[in-house]
Amino acid sequence: MTSSKDSIVPSYNFNHDCIKLQPQPLAALRKLTLTILPDRTLSSRRYYDLLPPDAHSCGDIWKGLPCAGLLGTAAITGLVVTPACDLSQRKAETITYLPVIPVRAYFSTLGALPELHRRVQGYLKAGQLAIDVPWKEGSFVPPKAHQIDALMNAIESHLKAKQRGQTEVTALGRASAALRIVKLVAHPELSEVAPGELSTAFGNDWPKIKEKMVTNAYSSYLHFLPSDQQDLAYAGLPSHSIVLFRYPLTASIEIFDLAQQSTESSWQKALEQTAAFLPAARAFERTKPIKVLCLRSEFLHDLLSRYLAVYNRIGSPDFGSSSARAMDTTSYLSMKLSCLTKTSGEYFRSCRRERLRMLP
C-alpha cells in the first residue's frame, strides 16, 4: 500500500517515437522534477564571456587602463560603453570606458565622504562628545591626516577620562572606525577597506548596504558586477565589483587596437611610435591593456539603461529657504494671484509685444 503522500502519478518518459506512461511514486517524481528543471539560481559566470573576441564591442572589460588620477595613479579595470554599431563599423575614433573597482574599494573614494561624515557626526553625538567633524557636510574634499588623528585622539582621551556607558563606548568605537576609513579616502591611492572596519563603521546597516549594492539600490551612480570566479592568475574580476557611472573616461581606439596587436615585449616601442602623433598614448606606458572579459548582452542592457538615466535628465535649481519663507508674505501671494488672473492669451500677447520691442 502506498500512502496519500506517495500516491501513484503518471510520469512522462520521452522517447524518439512515442510517449509512455509509467506509474511512479510522487516522491520520486519530485526528485526527478528537480533534476530536469533548469537551475534558476544566477551564477556569476553567466554574466561574462570568459574568452572575448578580438573585435571591439560594447561591454568589453579591459585591465590596465589609466584613470587620469581620478582613482589614484595605478591602472584600473574599465568597461567599454561606446555604442556597438560605432565600434563594429569603425565610426568611432575613441572608446569610452567606465572604471570598475572592488566593492570595498568604493568606500575609499571621494564619493563615500558625505555618508562617512553623516556617520561620524551621528556617532559623536551618541557618544556625547561635543567636537566638530574636520570636514564640511556634503564636501568631497577630505580632511588632512593630522586633523583625523587629532579627532581620533580626542575620542580616545574622552573614553579614558572616566567610565562611560556601553552605548557611548560603542558609538565612539564606530566613530573611530569610520575615521580610519576617512583616512584611506584622504590617501591619494585607491585601497580596499577591511571588512571588519566596514562592519564596525556601519554597524547593523552594513548587511543592508551590501544587499542594496548587489541589487543596485544603493545609488543610481553605481552598478554591481559579480566576480567571474576564475583563478586569480587570470581572473578579470577577482572580487565583486562596482561600475562608477560618474567617472567616464575616453581614449583613442588606436591604442586599444595596438594593445590587441602587440606583445608585452614590443608594447613600449609600439607606444612610442604612436605617441609621435598621439601624445595621449603616453598615459598607457605603465601597463599594457588587455581585454579579459565581455559582459553578456542580457546584463549589458540593464547597465546601459541605468548609465544613460544618470545623464539623460533635465534638472533645475532647487528653490532655497527664502522662497519658502516668501510664501507667507502678502507680496508673494498678491504676485501669484495677479499671475493667475491673467489668461493664457494675454500672457502670450504680452510676450509677443516684448519680442517685437526687442527687434531693431
Side-chain angles (χ1 to χ4, degrees), residues 10 13 52 60 68 76 80 105 147 157 173 189 191 209 213 231 251 263 301 312-313 348 352 358:
N13 180 20
D60 286 346
I76 61 166
V80 174
Q147 294 176 313
S157 300
E189 298 298 330
S191 58
I209 291 174
M213 282 194 151
D231 188 89
T263 62
H301 293 160
N312 191 23
R313 295 178 297 153
F348 285 114
R352 183 172 181 274
M358 294 172 63

Side-chain angles (χ1 to χ4, degrees), residues 3-24:
S3 64
S4 59
K5 183 177 180 180
D6 292 332
S7 58
I8 303 299
V9 296
S11 175
Y12 294 98
N13 180 20
F14 292 90
N15 290 335
H16 291 291
D17 301 322
C18 62
I19 298 177
K20 298 179 180 179
L21 292 178
Q22 296 178 347
Q24 291 186 5

Side-chain angles (χ1 to χ4, degrees), residues 86 128 171 235 293 312:
D86 291 349
Q128 299 183 8
L293 298 169
N312 191 23

Side-chain angles (χ1 to χ4, degrees), residues 67 80 119 220 262 269 330:
C67 65
V80 174
R119 296 275 173 177
S220 60
S262 305
K269 183 177 180 180
T330 306

Side-chain angles (χ1 to χ4, degrees), residues 42-63:
L42 183 61
S43 170
S44 58
R45 286 202 173 193
R46 289 178 53 192
Y47 264 71
Y48 313 105
D49 289 326
L50 302 182
L51 296 173
D54 290 339
H56 299 307
S57 176
C58 186
D60 286 346
I61 297 176
W62 289 73
K63 291 179 70 174

Side-chain angles (χ1 to χ4, degrees), residues 47-48 79 98-101 103 212-226 240-246 295 298-307:
Y47 264 71
Y48 313 105
L79 183 139
L98 303 175
V100 182
I101 63 173
V103 171
K212 286 183 177 180
M213 282 194 151
V214 171
T215 58
N216 292 322
Y218 182 74
S219 171
S220 60
Y221 309 134
L222 308 175
H223 190 90
F224 177 79
L225 289 181
H240 296 323
S241 304
I242 55 172
V243 184
L244 304 179
F245 289 162
R246 286 293 196 188
L295 186 63
E298 57 263 39
F299 306 106
L300 178 63
H301 293 160
D302 180 44
L303 183 147
L304 291 177
S305 64
R306 296 189 68 240
Y307 170 61

